[in-house]
Amino acid sequence: MKKIGFLSFGHWSAHPSYKTQAAADTLLQSIDLAVAAEEIGLDGAYFRVHHFAAQLASPFPLLSAIGAKTSKIEIGTGVIDMRYENPMYMVEDAGAADLISRGRLQLGISRGSPEQVIEGWRHFGYAPLPGENDADMGRRKALEFLAQLKGAGFAEPNPYPMFPNPPGLLRLEPHSPGLRERIWWGAASNATAVWAAENAMNLQSSTLKFDESGKPFHIQQAEQIRLYKEAWKKAGHHREPRVSVSRSIFALVTDLDRAYFGQAKSADSFGYIEPEKRAVFGKSYAAEPDQLIKELANDEAIQEADTVLLTIPNTLGVDYNVHLLSSILKHVAPGLGWR
């Protein structure tokens, strides 16, 4: 058994073929898709976060709205770029979203991906400390966020407050018990996966990672997950970790499916997403269900993960994406033992 969710990048554009012509379309359709995904039995609704782009950027209003309109499906991100975040304010936003959803928030955070603008986090008022780079800053802010999620008091109360205070130091509110254990780290390297395990975060591994051996993507990703699990065990945490992998998987069951995805890239590719950092990009899986089952059964990283996030073409609209997700649940997941 595996949990199966969707991962939306939340694109919009005034392209004549897009169902998402503007930001409002993407936001409202994201809510509708999450509601429909819950109805067909999907386990999770996850969203990417990008700044300075025609994509979803402010996750907590969206997650709260979905949480209020659903009752079972996990809701989350993959991932929030911590370089842009105020950890204190984020604790309050995340706590509220988790309480609204009654404890279903699965929050993916990370250092972030290549940006649309140069050092965009500076426009948000943030800069690395002396001796830090931006990646260090992102990890530092992540640890600040994790520490405050525990809910311990740290702030000295005003002796003349507007409202009566409880005794002792004050914490950030609203506090959501258990949310600290539902934070995930998006790792692009083996080293950051190990760091995530040491700091008791679940692991999100995307459709790309830094190329560290030249091996096929799924093998490198499986090795990353095994290193993460070893580090988790060594750290002696009290619970079992969760691991998700993202995949572009399309079951070709209609002529429209074949027209859209019949020529999808069926091989890994290598390239550079940052200067001097070579990355491996995982292939897309697009085939008739029986063939798809055979191909996915050989994906080592999927075998190591407990959760699979299906990347979706959100610009094609809610109805077609429900069809894509339903096709996986009906025609593919049972044959792989995911259901």
Side-chain angles (χ1 to χ4, degrees):
M1 297 288 288
K2 290 190 188 296
K3 289 184 178 292
I4 306 172
F6 72 77
L7 175 62
S8 172
F9 280 59
H11 294 284
W12 69 84
S13 175
H15 190 283
S17 68
Y18 280 16
K19 301 292 187 182
T20 52
Q21 294 281 306
D25 298 328
T26 294
L27 288 163
L28 294 171
Q29 289 183 31
S30 294
I31 298 169
D32 291 343
L33 180 58
V35 171
E38 179 175 86
E39 290 174 352
I40 65 173
L42 213 69
D43 301 300
Y46 288 74
F47 301 90
R48 287 282 283 160
V49 179
H50 286 105
H51 301 285
F52 299 102
Q55 298 178 48
L56 296 170
S58 181
F60 292 109
L62 174 61
L63 296 173
S64 296
I66 293 172
K69 295 197 71 171
T70 57
S71 60
K72 295 181 292 184
I73 196 169
E74 294 180 343
I75 55 175
T77 52
V79 293
I80 296 174
D81 187 337
M82 292 303 297
R83 296 174 296 180
Y84 286 79
E85 295 298 321
N86 177 322
M88 299 290 192
Y89 203 108
M90 187 173 169
V91 167
E92 295 179 344
D93 280 347
D98 194 46
L99 291 170
I100 289 170
S101 70
R102 295 177 176 82
R104 289 182 283 127
L105 191 62
Q106 302 286 340
L107 206 60
I109 65 175
S110 189
R111 184 216 73 172
S113 58
E115 303 177 88
Q116 296 297 109
V117 300
I118 296 171
E119 296 184 344
W121 29 270
R122 291 191 186 274
H123 296 288
F124 280 54
Y126 303 117
L129 298 175
E132 282 187 332
N133 59 30
D134 65 305
D136 297 328
M137 176 178 68
R139 287 188 287 270
R140 170 174 54 81
K141 293 170 95 176
L143 293 178
E144 293 173 9
F145 174 65
L146 294 176
Q148 295 305 330
L149 281 179
K150 295 177 182 178
F154 66 94
E156 188 72 28
N158 185 345
Y160 305 104
M162 181 177 292
F163 308 105
N165 282 323
L169 299 177
L170 301 183
R171 69 187 183 188
L172 294 170
E173 300 288 357
H175 172 65
S176 185
L179 178 56
R180 170 61 182 86
E181 295 189 349
R182 286 178 275 114
I183 306 302
W184 305 59
W185 183 260
S189 69
N190 292 346
T192 52
V194 169
W195 179 82
E198 292 169 346
N199 287 283
M201 287 183 278
N202 298 321
L203 178 66
Q204 286 185 339
S205 197
S206 183
T207 50
L208 68 87
K209 70 178 296 294
F210 292 132
D211 176 26
E212 299 182 75
S213 67
K215 296 177 183 177
F217 169 75
H218 75 103
I219 294 177
Q220 290 201 50
Q221 191 176 52
E223 292 171 347
Q224 179 196 48
I225 295 170
R226 293 182 193 114
L227 288 170
Y228 166 82
K229 291 178 177 178
E230 291 170 6
W232 184 281
K233 184 177 180 180
K234 183 177 179 180
H237 302 308
H238 70 279
R239 63 180 175 87
E240 288 297 313
R242 287 185 60 183
V243 176
S244 73
V245 295
S246 303
R247 289 291 184 273
S248 298
I249 304 173
F250 306 103
L252 306 182
V253 297
T254 69
D255 289 341
L256 187 57
D257 298 335
R258 298 179 188 97
Y260 277 138
F261 305 111
Q263 303 301 316
K265 176 173 65 72
S266 59
D268 296 343
S269 60
F270 293 80
Y272 290 84
I273 58 171
E274 294 181 1
E276 300 180 0
K277 286 193 174 181
R278 190 169 188 257
V280 55
F281 300 78
K283 66 181 181 180
S284 295
Y285 290 93
E288 303 291 327
D290 289 348
Q291 180 62 28
L292 207 52
I293 290 169
K294 293 177 182 178
E295 293 179 10
L296 291 169
N298 293 320
D299 189 311
E300 290 188 16
I302 289 179
Q303 306 310 316
E304 292 286 344
D306 59 79
T307 301
V308 179
L309 300 182
L310 305 172
T311 61
I312 60 164
N314 76 284
T315 57
L316 296 181
V318 174
D319 290 344
Y320 186 69
N321 277 288
V322 170
H323 158 72
L324 289 177
L325 296 170
S326 298
S327 295
I328 298 298
L329 292 178
K330 181 178 180 180
H331 301 294
V332 178
L336 289 162
W338 299 354
R339 280 292 188 270

